[in-house]
Amino acid sequence: MNFVEELRWRGMLHDIMPGTEEKLNEGVIAGYIGFDPTADSLHVGHLTQIMTLIHFQAAGHKPYALVGGATGMVGDPSGKSEERNLLSSDILTHNQECIKRQLEKFLDFDCGANSAEMVNNYDWFKQFSFLDFIRDVGKHLTVNYMMAKDSVRRRLEGDTGMSFTEFSYQLVQGYDFYYLWKHKGCFLQMGGSDQWGNIVTGTELIRRKDGGTAFALTTQLIKKADGTKFGKTESGAVWLDPARTSPYKFYQFWLNTSDADAKTWIRIFTLKTKEEIEALEVEHDQAPHLRVLQKALAKDITIRVHSEAEYETAVKSSEFLFGNGSVEFLNGMAENDLLEIFDGVEHFQVAKAEVGNGINVVDLLGERTRVFPSKSEAKKMIQGGGVSINKAKVGAIEDTINADYLINDKFIVAQKGKKNYYLIIAE
C-alpha cells in the first residue's frame, strides 16, 4: 500500500512538500500528528487525522501521536478568531489520559518495527527555561518569517490582535518537530491544511538549527456540501466519548448525512477499499431512498469508535423510533442510554403509585400527561387507531395502563400517529 496514493484516491490529500513521496519510498519512516488536549475527548473533527495515522501505519510506516501537554497550555491560533482560555495542568493531565485511551482503539501499539507510540511534548518542555528557549530556538527564526504565516497575519489584521503567547505557538510546535526528528527519527509531520504554516516552521527550524531535512503533509479540512461546519449538530460537537455523545446520537450523525457528503465521507472515514466503495455507490444510486451509503458509513465508524454491540443497539433504537422495531430491546438498558434515545422527545411525569393502581388510558394521555390537549381528543384518536403504548395499538378507550406496561419499572412510551413520541416517567 502506497500511503500518499491512498490519501489521494480517498480525497484526503491537500499539500505535500516536494521530496516527501521519495522519502516514504525509502522504507519504514516515522511521522507524527499532534493532538491538543483541550477537552477530555476527541471529536469527529479529529477523525481525519486519526484516519491519516491509521493509513500511515497500514502502509508500513511508524506513527507517533503527540498529545500536546505543553502546547495545550499555550493555544494554537490557527483557524481561531480569538484567544482561547488556558487550562490548568491538572485538567490537561486528565484530558491527556482520556485522549490516550481513545487513540489506543485505532492504532496498533504492539506490531513490531512500525508500532505506534504516544509522546507528550510536556516531557521535553518542562525543564526548558524561557531564556534557554529564546536562545536555542527563537534565534533561528526571524519575526518577519513568523509574521508571514496566514494564521498570524489574519489575527493581526483583525480586531482582537494576538498575544505573545499565541504568537510563540509556531516556535513551540516547530521545536516539537525538531525534537522528534532529532530524538525519534521523525522525518514527517502531518496535520490539517490549517497546520501547514506551523509544520513548515518545524522543517525550517530543523534546517536552520541542524542542517537537517524533514517533510510536511496536510489533509483537506472537512466541510459539509451545504457549507455548514462538519462535526457540529444543534446540540454541539459530536464526541468520540460515549459519555459526551451517546453511541445512538453518534450513529444518527452519520446516518443523517446527505448523499453528497456520504460519497465523500465514506472514503475518508472508513477503511473500505476503492472497489467496495464504488460498488456501494452503484447500489446507492439505484435506490437512493434506501440510504445504502449512509448505512455503510454509520456502521463502519460506529463499530470502530464504540463497538458492534453499541452499533446494534443504535440500529434497534432507530428502528424503534422510525420503523417497526420492538420495545423489548429497551428492557435492561441503562437509564442514561434510554433517555439519550428519547432526547428531544417531550417527557411527562406521573406518580408510580398511580400507575400501580391502574390509570385509564384516556385519563393518562388526555389529563395526567397532556399528550393530548383534552380527553375528548384522546378518545377520538384512540378510536381511530392512531395511538400506541409501547409500540402496541391501544384497542379501546376503556383500556387500563398499569405497572405491567412499565419499561425498566419506570418508563412508558406513548405514540400519537407515526412520528410523535412521548416518554412517560413513573416516579
Side-chain angles (χ1 to χ4, degrees):
M1 170 182 161
N2 182 291
F3 172 60
V4 176
E5 285 304 316
E6 187 74 12
L7 296 189
R8 279 200 179 105
W9 82 256
R10 289 183 181 276
M12 296 173 69
L13 189 65
H14 188 270
D15 282 316
I16 183 169
M17 186 175 284
T20 303
E21 289 188 77
E22 291 78 4
K23 184 66 179 177
L24 288 167
N25 289 334
E26 291 180 6
V28 179
I29 299 300
Y32 86 97
I33 293 176
F35 299 88
D36 275 348
T38 50
D40 61 3
S41 173
L42 300 174
H43 52 71
V44 295
H46 294 106
L47 278 174
T48 307
Q49 301 315 314
I50 293 173
M51 295 304 299
T52 301
L53 287 180
I54 290 172
H55 293 307
F56 189 68
Q57 187 173 43
H61 301 297
K62 183 177 181 65
Y64 281 86
L66 183 150
V67 180
T71 40
M73 294 181 177
V74 178
D76 181 6
S78 301
K80 311 292 193 304
S81 59
E82 59 184 26
E83 189 164 358
R84 67 188 180 197
N85 294 327
L86 303 183
L87 303 176
S88 71
S89 58
D90 288 345
I91 292 175
L92 284 169
T93 299
H94 169 73
N95 292 352
Q96 291 158 33
E97 291 304 314
C98 293
I99 290 170
K100 282 181 182 179
R101 288 195 294 271
Q102 289 183 335
L103 289 175
E104 286 169 351
K105 296 174 67 175
F106 298 96
L107 300 171
D108 191 340
F109 287 80
D110 186 21
C111 60
N114 72 324
S115 295
E117 287 190 34
M118 303 192 71
V119 290
N120 181 351
N121 60 10
Y122 184 71
D123 291 339
W124 54 84
F125 273 114
K126 61 186 175 184
Q127 302 299 334
F128 214 156
S129 76
F130 177 72
L131 290 177
D132 287 340
F133 185 77
I134 59 174
R135 183 192 65 192
D136 295 342
V137 180
K139 72 177 183 180
H140 293 287
L141 296 172
T142 66
V143 171
N144 289 348
Y145 177 86
M146 295 173 69
M147 290 181 68
K149 293 291 186 287
D150 287 342
S151 60
V152 174
R153 192 176 64 251
R154 282 194 298 268
R155 286 287 295 275
L156 292 177
E157 292 171 354
D159 297 330
T160 59
M162 174 181 278
S163 70
F164 176 77
T165 301
E166 283 196 308
F167 181 63
S168 66
Y169 186 92
Q170 62 177 292
L171 281 178
V172 177
Q173 184 170 330
Y175 185 77
D176 283 343
F177 198 176
Y178 171 81
Y179 183 92
L180 291 174
W181 172 83
K182 190 171 185 68
H183 297 279
K184 298 288 188 179
C186 266
F187 283 91
L188 176 64
Q189 184 182 170
M190 299 163 281
S193 60
D194 61 338
Q195 290 294 311
W196 180 259
N198 289 337
I199 296 173
V200 171
T201 295
T203 65
E204 188 68 9
L205 181 61
I206 290 167
R207 184 184 70 83
R208 295 189 184 190
K209 187 169 170 59
D210 274 18
T213 302
F215 301 92
L217 180 152
T218 59
T219 54
Q220 301 279 356
L221 291 183
I222 309 303
K223 296 180 180 178
K224 289 185 178 181
D226 63 7
T228 57
K229 191 169 183 178
F230 168 74
K232 294 285 187 180
T233 65
E234 290 182 5
S235 57
V238 179
W239 300 90
L240 306 192
D241 186 339
R244 282 177 169 261
T245 299
S246 70
Y248 168 73
K249 285 187 178 179
F250 185 86
Y251 171 78
Q252 284 292 319
F253 170 78
W254 301 102
L255 189 65
N256 292 326
T257 301
S258 69
D259 286 353
D261 286 331
K263 289 184 177 182
T264 301
W265 296 356
I266 198 166
R267 284 168 161 74
I268 296 171
F269 298 115
T270 78
L271 295 174
K272 294 185 180 298
T273 65
K274 192 170 188 288
E275 293 72 24
E276 287 173 329
I277 290 172
E278 288 174 347
L280 285 168
E281 286 175 334
V282 170
E283 187 180 352
H284 180 91
D285 290 341
Q286 291 173 346
H289 66 284
L290 296 178
R291 303 178 70 76
V292 170
L293 279 176
Q294 286 90 339
K295 289 177 180 177
L297 170 65
K299 179 179 181 178
D300 183 280
I301 194 65
T302 303
I303 289 175
R304 283 189 297 117
V305 170
H306 296 293
S307 69
E308 189 147 7
E310 295 286 11
Y311 160 74
E312 294 290 350
T313 299
V315 170
K316 289 176 181 177
S317 300
S318 296
E319 290 173 349
F320 175 79
L321 289 175
F322 307 112
N324 297 315
S326 167
V327 74
E328 294 304 318
F329 84 101
L330 295 174
N331 286 309
M333 182 180 289
E335 184 170 322
N336 285 343
D337 293 338
L338 189 148
L339 290 173
E340 282 284 352
I341 295 171
F342 292 97
D343 182 44
V345 169
E346 192 169 2
H347 295 184
F348 296 105
Q349 286 192 323
V350 295
K352 191 171 185 179
E354 193 173 6
V355 176
N357 293 330
I359 308 176
N360 174 263
V361 66
V362 173
D363 291 339
L364 177 67
L365 302 180
E367 182 177 75
R368 303 288 199 282
T369 63
R370 309 296 290 177
V371 168
F372 290 91
S374 66
K375 291 170 68 172
S376 61
E377 287 200 35
K379 285 181 181 179
K380 183 178 178 181
M381 198 154 188
I382 289 170
Q383 289 170 332
V387 178
S388 297
I389 297 291
N390 295 344
K391 299 292 280 189
K393 291 280 187 188
V394 177
I397 59 174
E398 295 83 15
D399 285 359
T400 297
I401 306 302
N402 56 36
D404 293 338
Y405 285 81
L406 292 177
I407 300 166
N408 290 346
D409 200 35
K410 187 171 184 178
F411 303 100
I412 296 170
V413 179
Q415 190 176 355
K416 181 168 64 176
K418 289 185 177 181
K419 297 181 178 180
N420 298 309
Y421 285 91
Y422 306 86
L423 186 65
I424 300 171
I425 305 172
E427 291 185 306

